[in-house]
Amino acid sequence: MPRISRRARTREREFSVYAIVRCGGRQEKASVDDVLTVDKLAGEVGSSVTLPAVLVIDDDKVISDPAEVGGYQVTAEILGDAAGPKISMIHYKNKTGYRRRLGHRQKYTQVKITSIGTAKSGAAKASAAKASAGQAPAASTRTTSSTRATSRKKDD
């Protein structure tokens, strides 16, 4: 049995798909099953959140075009709240007796990345299921009714 170097073993364990997501004014590297600490998010523990992707790495393929990246969804589950380190501040003015002591702890939310995938495939499957059930997709009915309304206005 050949020996595998430590570096080669760690390369095998790396995830082949990961994304750079924007959350709370910062960008974080996220792969499936990662736990991230991000700025406070509205939502309950256990609820699902969709984070916007900035860059997606899928095996050897790097996707940075905004039109293509928009098709990817990074979903995460909220694990709970967290608080950052205590920051102490002291205000002092010389010769006046003015002293103030302040403290601050930033609030954070911990999220676990559940999936990184294309949103288009999910929408296409839903549209195909409606078509097979005999219903037209909602988007196409809206566009035909709006074109009819505009053609009536031109005739009048």
Side-chain angles (χ1 to χ4, degrees), residues 53-79:
V54 177
L55 177 87
V56 176
I57 310 293
D58 192 358
D59 290 327
D60 297 334
K61 189 170 141 185
V62 177
I63 303 165
S64 62
D65 181 33
E68 289 183 50
V69 170
Y72 278 82
Q73 277 189 337
V74 179
T75 52
E77 177 187 353
I78 296 177
L79 296 179

PDB file of all heavy atoms in Angstrom, residues 53-79:
ATOM      1  N   ALA A  53     -24.730  34.708  -3.321  1.00  0.00           N
ATOM      2  CA  ALA A  53     -23.376  34.277  -3.678  1.00  0.00           C
ATOM      3  C   ALA A  53     -22.694  35.347  -4.522  1.00  0.00           C
ATOM      4  O   ALA A  53     -23.321  35.998  -5.350  1.00  0.00           O
ATOM      5  CB  ALA A  53     -23.433  32.966  -4.442  1.00  0.00           C
ATOM      6  N   VAL A  54     -21.398  35.536  -4.289  1.00  0.00           N
ATOM      7  CA  VAL A  54     -20.593  36.476  -5.062  1.00  0.00           C
ATOM      8  C   VAL A  54     -19.725  35.704  -6.050  1.00  0.00           C
ATOM      9  O   VAL A  54     -19.499  36.147  -7.168  1.00  0.00           O
ATOM     10  CB  VAL A  54     -19.705  37.315  -4.118  1.00  0.00           C
ATOM     11  CG1 VAL A  54     -18.808  38.237  -4.896  1.00  0.00           C
ATOM     12  CG2 VAL A  54     -20.554  38.092  -3.148  1.00  0.00           C
ATOM     13  N   LEU A  55     -19.271  34.533  -5.631  1.00  0.00           N
ATOM     14  CA  LEU A  55     -18.376  33.706  -6.437  1.00  0.00           C
ATOM     15  C   LEU A  55     -18.658  32.249  -6.100  1.00  0.00           C
ATOM     16  O   LEU A  55     -18.890  31.927  -4.935  1.00  0.00           O
ATOM     17  CB  LEU A  55     -16.915  34.048  -6.102  1.00  0.00           C
ATOM     18  CG  LEU A  55     -15.836  33.254  -6.792  1.00  0.00           C
ATOM     19  CD1 LEU A  55     -15.515  33.905  -8.135  1.00  0.00           C
ATOM     20  CD2 LEU A  55     -14.585  33.242  -5.950  1.00  0.00           C
ATOM     21  N   VAL A  56     -18.642  31.386  -7.099  1.00  0.00           N
ATOM     22  CA  VAL A  56     -18.870  29.959  -6.867  1.00  0.00           C
ATOM     23  C   VAL A  56     -17.738  29.173  -7.511  1.00  0.00           C
ATOM     24  O   VAL A  56     -17.377  29.416  -8.662  1.00  0.00           O
ATOM     25  CB  VAL A  56     -20.226  29.503  -7.452  1.00  0.00           C
ATOM     26  CG1 VAL A  56     -20.407  28.007  -7.281  1.00  0.00           C
ATOM     27  CG2 VAL A  56     -21.371  30.253  -6.803  1.00  0.00           C
ATOM     28  N   ILE A  57     -17.150  28.252  -6.751  1.00  0.00           N
ATOM     29  CA  ILE A  57     -16.118  27.361  -7.255  1.00  0.00           C
ATOM     30  C   ILE A  57     -16.721  25.964  -7.286  1.00  0.00           C
ATOM     31  O   ILE A  57     -17.051  25.407  -6.250  1.00  0.00           O
ATOM     32  CB  ILE A  57     -14.868  27.354  -6.342  1.00  0.00           C
ATOM     33  CG1 ILE A  57     -14.388  28.755  -6.026  1.00  0.00           C
ATOM     34  CG2 ILE A  57     -13.773  26.500  -6.941  1.00  0.00           C
ATOM     35  CD1 ILE A  57     -13.843  29.530  -7.170  1.00  0.00           C
ATOM     36  N   ASP A  58     -16.867  25.409  -8.487  1.00  0.00           N
ATOM     37  CA  ASP A  58     -17.449  24.083  -8.668  1.00  0.00           C
ATOM     38  C   ASP A  58     -16.404  23.210  -9.357  1.00  0.00           C
ATOM     39  O   ASP A  58     -16.207  23.304 -10.564  1.00  0.00           O
ATOM     40  CB  ASP A  58     -18.720  24.184  -9.506  1.00  0.00           C
ATOM     41  CG  ASP A  58     -19.528  22.906  -9.502  1.00  0.00           C
ATOM     42  OD1 ASP A  58     -19.082  21.928  -8.867  1.00  0.00           O
ATOM     43  OD2 ASP A  58     -20.605  22.890 -10.117  1.00  0.00           O
ATOM     44  N   ASP A  59     -15.711  22.371  -8.573  1.00  0.00           N
ATOM     45  CA  ASP A  59     -14.564  21.591  -9.036  1.00  0.00           C
ATOM     46  C   ASP A  59     -13.517  22.520  -9.651  1.00  0.00           C
ATOM     47  O   ASP A  59     -12.943  23.324  -8.969  1.00  0.00           O
ATOM     48  CB  ASP A  59     -14.993  20.490 -10.005  1.00  0.00           C
ATOM     49  CG  ASP A  59     -15.766  19.393  -9.291  1.00  0.00           C
ATOM     50  OD1 ASP A  59     -15.461  19.135  -8.112  1.00  0.00           O
ATOM     51  OD2 ASP A  59     -16.672  18.807  -9.894  1.00  0.00           O
ATOM     52  N   ASP A  60     -13.278  22.419 -10.973  1.00  0.00           N
ATOM     53  CA  ASP A  60     -12.293  23.266 -11.637  1.00  0.00           C
ATOM     54  C   ASP A  60     -12.932  24.515 -12.240  1.00  0.00           C
ATOM     55  O   ASP A  60     -12.242  25.358 -12.793  1.00  0.00           O
ATOM     56  CB  ASP A  60     -11.586  22.477 -12.747  1.00  0.00           C
ATOM     57  CG  ASP A  60     -10.808  21.307 -12.190  1.00  0.00           C
ATOM     58  OD1 ASP A  60     -10.416  21.396 -11.001  1.00  0.00           O
ATOM     59  OD2 ASP A  60     -10.598  20.320 -12.905  1.00  0.00           O
ATOM     60  N   LYS A  61     -14.229  24.635 -12.146  1.00  0.00           N
ATOM     61  CA  LYS A  61     -14.959  25.723 -12.794  1.00  0.00           C
ATOM     62  C   LYS A  61     -15.164  26.878 -11.809  1.00  0.00           C
ATOM     63  O   LYS A  61     -15.730  26.690 -10.738  1.00  0.00           O
ATOM     64  CB  LYS A  61     -16.305  25.176 -13.267  1.00  0.00           C
ATOM     65  CG  LYS A  61     -17.099  26.086 -14.143  1.00  0.00           C
ATOM     66  CD  LYS A  61     -18.273  25.294 -14.709  1.00  0.00           C
ATOM     67  CE  LYS A  61     -19.494  26.151 -14.757  1.00  0.00           C
ATOM     68  NZ  LYS A  61     -20.675  25.428 -15.179  1.00  0.00           N
ATOM     69  N   VAL A  62     -14.697  28.076 -12.181  1.00  0.00           N
ATOM     70  CA  VAL A  62     -14.863  29.270 -11.356  1.00  0.00           C
ATOM     71  C   VAL A  62     -15.945  30.129 -11.996  1.00  0.00           C
ATOM     72  O   VAL A  62     -15.823  30.529 -13.155  1.00  0.00           O
ATOM     73  CB  VAL A  62     -13.549  30.072 -11.253  1.00  0.00           C
ATOM     74  CG1 VAL A  62     -13.755  31.337 -10.451  1.00  0.00           C
ATOM     75  CG2 VAL A  62     -12.459  29.228 -10.647  1.00  0.00           C
ATOM     76  N   ILE A  63     -17.007  30.416 -11.236  1.00  0.00           N
ATOM     77  CA  ILE A  63     -18.131  31.192 -11.757  1.00  0.00           C
ATOM     78  C   ILE A  63     -18.152  32.526 -11.031  1.00  0.00           C
ATOM     79  O   ILE A  63     -18.420  32.589  -9.829  1.00  0.00           O
ATOM     80  CB  ILE A  63     -19.460  30.438 -11.550  1.00  0.00           C
ATOM     81  CG1 ILE A  63     -19.373  29.074 -12.230  1.00  0.00           C
ATOM     82  CG2 ILE A  63     -20.617  31.249 -12.088  1.00  0.00           C
ATOM     83  CD1 ILE A  63     -20.442  28.121 -11.821  1.00  0.00           C
ATOM     84  N   SER A  64     -17.861  33.607 -11.788  1.00  0.00           N
ATOM     85  CA  SER A  64     -17.859  34.937 -11.184  1.00  0.00           C
ATOM     86  C   SER A  64     -18.766  35.911 -11.923  1.00  0.00           C
ATOM     87  O   SER A  64     -18.964  37.031 -11.468  1.00  0.00           O
ATOM     88  CB  SER A  64     -16.439  35.496 -11.127  1.00  0.00           C
ATOM     89  OG  SER A  64     -15.935  35.635 -12.434  1.00  0.00           O
ATOM     90  N   ASP A  65     -19.313  35.505 -13.054  1.00  0.00           N
ATOM     91  CA  ASP A  65     -20.217  36.362 -13.811  1.00  0.00           C
ATOM     92  C   ASP A  65     -21.508  36.553 -13.023  1.00  0.00           C
ATOM     93  O   ASP A  65     -22.139  35.571 -12.621  1.00  0.00           O
ATOM     94  CB  ASP A  65     -20.515  35.715 -15.166  1.00  0.00           C
ATOM     95  CG  ASP A  65     -21.431  36.562 -16.034  1.00  0.00           C
ATOM     96  OD1 ASP A  65     -21.344  37.795 -15.941  1.00  0.00           O
ATOM     97  OD2 ASP A  65     -22.223  35.982 -16.807  1.00  0.00           O
ATOM     98  N   PRO A  66     -21.931  37.803 -12.774  1.00  0.00           N
ATOM     99  CA  PRO A  66     -23.130  38.028 -11.958  1.00  0.00           C
ATOM    100  C   PRO A  66     -24.383  37.353 -12.495  1.00  0.00           C
ATOM    101  O   PRO A  66     -25.239  36.920 -11.727  1.00  0.00           O
ATOM    102  CB  PRO A  66     -23.293  39.555 -11.972  1.00  0.00           C
ATOM    103  CG  PRO A  66     -21.942  40.082 -12.275  1.00  0.00           C
ATOM    104  CD  PRO A  66     -21.276  39.064 -13.132  1.00  0.00           C
ATOM    105  N   ALA A  67     -24.496  37.233 -13.815  1.00  0.00           N
ATOM    106  CA  ALA A  67     -25.675  36.575 -14.388  1.00  0.00           C
ATOM    107  C   ALA A  67     -25.698  35.091 -14.040  1.00  0.00           C
ATOM    108  O   ALA A  67     -26.747  34.537 -13.718  1.00  0.00           O
ATOM    109  CB  ALA A  67     -25.685  36.761 -15.901  1.00  0.00           C
ATOM    110  N   GLU A  68     -24.533  34.447 -14.076  1.00  0.00           N
ATOM    111  CA  GLU A  68     -24.468  33.014 -13.752  1.00  0.00           C
ATOM    112  C   GLU A  68     -24.525  32.777 -12.251  1.00  0.00           C
ATOM    113  O   GLU A  68     -25.152  31.833 -11.800  1.00  0.00           O
ATOM    114  CB  GLU A  68     -23.178  32.411 -14.303  1.00  0.00           C
ATOM    115  CG  GLU A  68     -23.154  32.282 -15.809  1.00  0.00           C
ATOM    116  CD  GLU A  68     -21.889  31.606 -16.280  1.00  0.00           C
ATOM    117  OE1 GLU A  68     -21.567  30.527 -15.733  1.00  0.00           O
ATOM    118  OE2 GLU A  68     -21.240  32.150 -17.173  1.00  0.00           O
ATOM    119  N   VAL A  69     -23.854  33.628 -11.480  1.00  0.00           N
ATOM    120  CA  VAL A  69     -23.831  33.458 -10.023  1.00  0.00           C
ATOM    121  C   VAL A  69     -25.234  33.655  -9.448  1.00  0.00           C
ATOM    122  O   VAL A  69     -25.600  33.038  -8.456  1.00  0.00           O
ATOM    123  CB  VAL A  69     -22.820  34.436  -9.380  1.00  0.00           C
ATOM    124  CG1 VAL A  69     -22.950  34.445  -7.876  1.00  0.00           C
ATOM    125  CG2 VAL A  69     -21.416  34.040  -9.770  1.00  0.00           C
ATOM    126  N   GLY A  70     -26.040  34.510 -10.092  1.00  0.00           N
ATOM    127  CA  GLY A  70     -27.411  34.720  -9.641  1.00  0.00           C
ATOM    128  C   GLY A  70     -28.248  33.456  -9.685  1.00  0.00           C
ATOM    129  O   GLY A  70     -29.250  33.333  -8.994  1.00  0.00           O
ATOM    130  N   GLY A  71     -27.835  32.490 -10.507  1.00  0.00           N
ATOM    131  CA  GLY A  71     -28.553  31.225 -10.599  1.00  0.00           C
ATOM    132  C   GLY A  71     -28.246  30.265  -9.465  1.00  0.00           C
ATOM    133  O   GLY A  71     -28.923  29.263  -9.290  1.00  0.00           O
ATOM    134  N   TYR A  72     -27.227  30.554  -8.678  1.00  0.00           N
ATOM    135  CA  TYR A  72     -26.852  29.692  -7.567  1.00  0.00           C
ATOM    136  C   TYR A  72     -27.494  30.181  -6.273  1.00  0.00           C
ATOM    137  O   TYR A  72     -27.597  31.382  -6.055  1.00  0.00           O
ATOM    138  CB  TYR A  72     -25.333  29.659  -7.387  1.00  0.00           C
ATOM    139  CG  TYR A  72     -24.647  28.696  -8.311  1.00  0.00           C
ATOM    140  CD1 TYR A  72     -24.352  29.047  -9.619  1.00  0.00           C
ATOM    141  CD2 TYR A  72     -24.306  27.427  -7.885  1.00  0.00           C
ATOM    142  CE1 TYR A  72     -23.725  28.163 -10.475  1.00  0.00           C
ATOM    143  CE2 TYR A  72     -23.673  26.536  -8.725  1.00  0.00           C
ATOM    144  CZ  TYR A  72     -23.394  26.909 -10.020  1.00  0.00           C
ATOM    145  OH  TYR A  72     -22.779  26.031 -10.860  1.00  0.00           O
ATOM    146  N   GLN A  73     -27.918  29.251  -5.437  1.00  0.00           N
ATOM    147  CA  GLN A  73     -28.477  29.574  -4.130  1.00  0.00           C
ATOM    148  C   GLN A  73     -27.643  28.905  -3.052  1.00  0.00           C
ATOM    149  O   GLN A  73     -27.305  27.733  -3.163  1.00  0.00           O
ATOM    150  CB  GLN A  73     -29.911  29.062  -4.000  1.00  0.00           C
ATOM    151  CG  GLN A  73     -30.944  29.967  -4.586  1.00  0.00           C
ATOM    152  CD  GLN A  73     -32.334  29.487  -4.224  1.00  0.00           C
ATOM    153  OE1 GLN A  73     -32.540  28.324  -3.922  1.00  0.00           O
ATOM    154  NE2 GLN A  73     -33.283  30.394  -4.253  1.00  0.00           N
ATOM    155  N   VAL A  74     -27.326  29.669  -2.016  1.00  0.00           N
ATOM    156  CA  VAL A  74     -26.639  29.126  -0.852  1.00  0.00           C
ATOM    157  C   VAL A  74     -27.641  29.187   0.291  1.00  0.00           C
ATOM    158  O   VAL A  74     -28.012  30.268   0.739  1.00  0.00           O
ATOM    159  CB  VAL A  74     -25.370  29.944  -0.526  1.00  0.00           C
ATOM    160  CG1 VAL A  74     -24.683  29.378   0.700  1.00  0.00           C
ATOM    161  CG2 VAL A  74     -24.423  29.959  -1.711  1.00  0.00           C
ATOM    162  N   THR A  75     -28.119  28.040   0.726  1.00  0.00           N
ATOM    163  CA  THR A  75     -29.090  28.005   1.810  1.00  0.00           C
ATOM    164  C   THR A  75     -28.408  27.608   3.107  1.00  0.00           C
ATOM    165  O   THR A  75     -27.494  26.781   3.116  1.00  0.00           O
ATOM    166  CB  THR A  75     -30.241  27.017   1.513  1.00  0.00           C
ATOM    167  OG1 THR A  75     -29.682  25.759   1.173  1.00  0.00           O
ATOM    168  CG2 THR A  75     -31.107  27.519   0.389  1.00  0.00           C
ATOM    169  N   ALA A  76     -28.865  28.233   4.174  1.00  0.00           N
ATOM    170  CA  ALA A  76     -28.282  27.982   5.488  1.00  0.00           C
ATOM    171  C   ALA A  76     -29.395  27.876   6.520  1.00  0.00           C
ATOM    172  O   ALA A  76     -30.476  28.430   6.349  1.00  0.00           O
ATOM    173  CB  ALA A  76     -27.325  29.107   5.857  1.00  0.00           C
ATOM    174  N   GLU A  77     -29.106  27.149   7.586  1.00  0.00           N
ATOM    175  CA  GLU A  77     -30.051  26.981   8.691  1.00  0.00           C
ATOM    176  C   GLU A  77     -29.522  27.765   9.886  1.00  0.00           C
ATOM    177  O   GLU A  77     -28.337  27.707  10.213  1.00  0.00           O
ATOM    178  CB  GLU A  77     -30.154  25.498   9.051  1.00  0.00           C
ATOM    179  CG  GLU A  77     -31.040  25.216  10.227  1.00  0.00           C
ATOM    180  CD  GLU A  77     -30.976  23.749  10.642  1.00  0.00           C
ATOM    181  OE1 GLU A  77     -30.352  22.942   9.949  1.00  0.00           O
ATOM    182  OE2 GLU A  77     -31.550  23.449  11.702  1.00  0.00           O
ATOM    183  N   ILE A  78     -30.408  28.514  10.547  1.00  0.00           N
ATOM    184  CA  ILE A  78     -30.004  29.305  11.707  1.00  0.00           C
ATOM    185  C   ILE A  78     -29.857  28.383  12.913  1.00  0.00           C
ATOM    186  O   ILE A  78     -30.801  27.687  13.289  1.00  0.00           O
ATOM    187  CB  ILE A  78     -31.026  30.429  11.990  1.00  0.00           C
ATOM    188  CG1 ILE A  78     -31.047  31.416  10.830  1.00  0.00           C
ATOM    189  CG2 ILE A  78     -30.696  31.139  13.292  1.00  0.00           C
ATOM    190  CD1 ILE A  78     -32.061  32.520  10.972  1.00  0.00           C
ATOM    191  N   LEU A  79     -28.659  28.381  13.499  1.00  0.00           N
ATOM    192  CA  LEU A  79     -28.395  27.540  14.668  1.00  0.00           C
ATOM    193  C   LEU A  79     -28.690  28.269  15.971  1.00  0.00           C
ATOM    194  O   LEU A  79     -29.124  27.652  16.941  1.00  0.00           O
ATOM    195  CB  LEU A  79     -26.937  27.082  14.674  1.00  0.00           C
ATOM    196  CG  LEU A  79     -26.502  26.189  13.520  1.00  0.00           C
ATOM    197  CD1 LEU A  79     -25.033  25.847  13.656  1.00  0.00           C
ATOM    198  CD2 LEU A  79     -27.339  24.932  13.455  1.00  0.00           C
TER     199      LEU A  79
END
